[in-house]
Amino acid sequence: MPGSRFPRRTESGLADSIALMSELNLILLGPPGAGKGTQAERLQEDFPLAYIATGDMLRAAVAEGTELGRKAKEHMDRGDLVPDDVIIGVILDRVEGDDARDGFLLDGFPRTIGQAEALEAELRKLGRKLTAVLLIEAPDEEIIRRLSGRRVSKSGRVYHVDHDPPKHADRCDIDGSPLVQRKDDKPETIRKRLDVYHRQTAPLVAYYDERGLLRRFDGTRSPTEVHDHVRATIATLRLEDEL
Ligand code: AP5
């Protein structure tokens, strides 16, 4: 039944078996700096999905000084993950939000097996399913090079000092705001984040592979090549669903 909607909650397993595939429920997975945010920006132009970026939400909470921000800040500054009990409820609420009814693009969640299990249970409760997990891969040396050169503007536009510089030095092309380096993009914190990724997040690759959801992308290709590949994969998934 492409295009139709499902009841949001179900007590039985019925909705599970008929879960709507034309509803795109996607996860972007990959090490820090693999290009998840870069691809998310492009994918939002292709598909009208609710974009749920945990890192952006947490940084906004820190900037606003909310309770979530206060709980998250020290972990983020160190390059550690924010504890599961702090983050899971916040993200599941967003997945249940009205704007995510027809699909979502999760960037930065889940990051632990515990988070993945919580998401799976929540989606089952809602009679929904994941469509695919898009894994963007890049080796550690490339990530260190990328993150050390990353600069961001107030509006969140991401640049790289060498291969995606702004037109005017240190100023955003869109809003003219000064470009800054994220606190966690300092070399020692990048190494910590990579270590955390390999220990706590990489096990999700096997987790989603076993469930037949994993799609791999070579993140060392140019942003346009990665985007073309991701877009073609999503189009194929939709076609398969409609057959
Ligand atoms: P978050 O903001 O999610 O950071 P991350 O996953 O480490 O990812 P990044 O934003 O650093 O990288 P990206 O893959 O989006 O790369 P980008 O496109 O910018 O999380 C930050 C922190 O929040 C975590 O450390 C943790 O503390 C906390 N947190 C978040 N989620 C959590 C959760 N679920 N549980 C617990 N804690 C959580 O690209 C990087 C650079 O490379 C840019 O300069 C870009 O221009 C360049 N680039 C991109 N693509 C290419 C390409 N193909 N070729 C060349 N350069 C490229």
Side-chain angles (χ1 to χ4, degrees), residues 30-39 54-56 58-59 72 75-77 79-84 87 91 107-112 115 142 145-147 149-151 158-160 163-164 182 184-185 193 219-224 226:
K36 303 181 295 295
T38 301
Q39 294 306 320
T54 352
D56 291 351
L58 289 169
R59 278 184 290 279
H75 302 284
M76 295 175 75
D77 287 351
D80 277 325
L81 294 184
V82 173
D84 279 1
I87 192 78
I91 301 304
D107 172 0
F109 187 93
R111 260 177 148 105
T112 62
Q115 293 179 14
E142 172 68 7
R145 196 180 65 77
R146 284 186 190 179
L147 292 185
R150 173 165 64 181
R151 299 293 181 272
V158 175
Y159 297 86
H160 190 279
H163 55 75
D164 185 17
R182 265 170 50 174
D184 59 353
D185 279 350
R193 287 164 63 201
T220 64
R221 311 295 291 267
S222 75
T224 303
V226 179

Side-chain angles (χ1 to χ4, degrees), residues 39 43 134 136 217 225-235:
Q39 294 306 320
L43 288 173
L134 314 170
I136 304 183
F217 302 92
E225 286 172 312
V226 179
H227 175 228
D228 287 347
H229 188 190
V230 172
R231 202 174 37 177
T233 301
I234 294 174

